[in-house]
Amino acid sequence: MKPVKRTNVRIALGKVYYTCSRYLEWYFGNTKFARKREAGSLPYTVFKHQTPLIRQLKDVDLWLQHNKIVNLKIAVERINGITIYPGETFSYWRLIGKPTRKKGYVDGMILSHGTYTTGIGGGLCQLSNLIYWLTLHTPLEVTERHRHSYDVFPDSNRTQPFGSGATCYYNYLDLRIYNPTHQPYQLNVYLTDEHLVGQWNTIDKPLYRYEVYEKEHSIEHEYWGGYVRHNLIYRRVFNLDGELINDEYVTENHAIMMYQPFLESGYSDNI
């Protein structure tokens, strides 16, 4: 987990290679992507969650968060109501497309190599984080998710386990969700004055309830001088009678900490 410094040339060439590879896979691959958006909401809500639009972040200018809201509004319009039918795959970036100024996107905060910078469309990770968290509470399968390699901000007021988000970067760090069930699932997302809100809906009453939690959380002082944070994400599955029927491994996280550990206690929502 020691940070690896790469030259600007290598980074640029890597972006070109992975971006082109993803375009080829999008248009010539065998994946059946979700495309249809339903006008109304499907009748049953499977899971709903919201995250605050504005957070107090040390050394981060407030205008970046206001710009993030502008970017989120544009992206939400592209995916609100999208329905994943059986056998289809939801692709975050294929639906949203490349964030550009022409589309109305503005500069927002982007996490990069353990710090933050600004870039067009910055802040869209809050949307991918929310969708990933929602999906962990459904029978849908996450087939592509990328974890944050750096833990940038302390755990102030966190309400979700560390590492329960999904980072995104156009177009090769994608979030993909597959529907292995026999019924459609519809994603509904929108903004209120204070929150980004999302929910999965379907046509039948949900048969299960999910509880996502972490195990084996640890912080290790590495030989090179930094700290690395680890944990495992699991989820418990309950039936309608409240009986535990499964306890499933979901993923694991390893992130280089960019602040001194043990400064704060508790949890904070995703960025």
Side-chain angles (χ1 to χ4, degrees), residues 58 114 150-156 158 162 217 219 226-229 255-266 268:
K58 187 175 184 293
Y150 293 87
D151 184 16
V152 180
F153 299 109
D155 288 355
S156 176
R158 185 188 290 271
F162 159 69
H217 178 271
I219 295 175
Y227 291 89
V228 177
R229 191 173 184 178
I256 299 170
M257 300 179 69
M258 304 308 296
Y259 58 91
Q260 288 296 313
F262 314 121
L263 292 180
E264 301 283 350
S265 61
S268 66

Side-chain angles (χ1 to χ4, degrees), residues 1-250:
M1 289 296 294
K2 183 178 180 179
V4 177
K5 292 185 178 181
R6 295 181 172 88
T7 65
N8 291 335
V9 172
R10 181 176 177 182
I11 292 173
L13 290 175
K15 288 181 179 179
V16 171
Y17 172 79
Y18 289 112
T19 299
C20 292
S21 297
R22 183 52 57 98
Y23 279 129
L24 289 173
E25 190 269 339
W26 275 357
Y27 298 113
F28 300 104
N30 297 320
T31 303
K32 184 179 180 181
F33 291 105
R35 299 173 181 268
K36 187 175 181 181
R37 297 170 62 183
E38 298 289 350
S41 295
L42 297 183
Y44 290 96
T45 298
V46 182
F47 187 72
K48 182 177 182 179
H49 188 69
Q50 63 184 27
T51 55
L53 292 171
I54 302 294
R55 291 180 53 209
Q56 296 299 320
L57 299 174
K58 187 175 184 293
D59 300 326
V60 176
D61 293 331
L62 194 58
W63 68 267
L64 286 172
Q65 297 204 56
H66 288 295
N67 280 11
K68 174 190 70 176
I69 295 173
V70 174
N71 295 333
L72 286 172
K73 287 180 179 178
I74 298 171
V76 160
E77 290 180 357
R78 302 287 298 178
I79 62 175
N80 181 42
I82 193 73
T83 301
I84 313 178
Y85 288 90
E88 290 187 339
T89 295
F90 167 97
S91 169
Y92 184 79
W93 283 126
R94 201 172 194 278
L95 289 167
I96 292 176
K98 185 176 182 178
T100 63
R101 291 194 187 278
K102 186 176 181 180
K103 295 176 182 178
Y105 288 98
V106 295
D107 285 325
M109 184 174 67
I110 295 175
L111 299 182
S112 177
H113 302 289
T115 185
Y116 76 90
T117 183
T118 60
I120 299 299
L124 293 186
C125 276
Q126 180 170 352
L127 181 56
S128 61
N129 286 339
L130 176 66
I131 295 172
Y132 178 67
W133 178 251
L134 292 172
T135 304
L136 294 183
H137 295 80
T138 73
L140 299 173
E141 294 181 2
V142 177
T143 56
E144 180 178 342
R145 172 257 183 181
H146 300 271
R147 64 181 182 232
H148 294 269
S149 299
Y150 293 87
D151 184 16
V152 180
F153 299 109
D155 288 355
S156 176
N157 302 315
R158 185 188 290 271
T159 59
Q160 299 166 208
F162 159 69
S164 56
T167 189
C168 61
Y169 190 89
Y170 187 85
N171 61 359
Y172 52 86
L173 297 186
D174 201 4
L175 173 63
R176 291 193 176 186
I177 301 162
Y178 175 72
N179 184 356
T181 75
H182 299 291
Q183 61 191 51
Y185 280 78
Q186 179 191 47
L187 177 65
N188 293 295
V189 285
Y190 57 92
L191 280 74
T192 66
D193 290 340
E194 297 181 351
H195 292 92
L196 173 65
V197 185
Q199 63 189 57
W200 280 111
N201 284 43
T202 190
I203 58 174
D204 294 319
K205 185 177 180 180
L207 299 177
Y208 305 102
R209 178 177 64 84
Y210 301 86
E211 179 184 295
V212 181
Y213 68 100
E214 70 172 352
K215 295 174 64 173
E216 300 181 23
H217 178 271
S218 66
I219 295 175
E220 298 181 1
H221 192 193
E222 299 294 331
Y223 71 92
W224 44 269
Y227 291 89
V228 177
R229 191 173 184 178
H230 312 269
N231 77 346
L232 302 176
I233 301 295
Y234 274 72
R235 70 175 183 177
R236 300 183 182 98
V237 185
F238 300 88
N239 63 20
L240 296 180
D241 295 324
E243 299 172 329
L244 178 65
I245 60 172
N246 205 353
D247 194 354
E248 304 172 337
Y249 166 85
V250 176

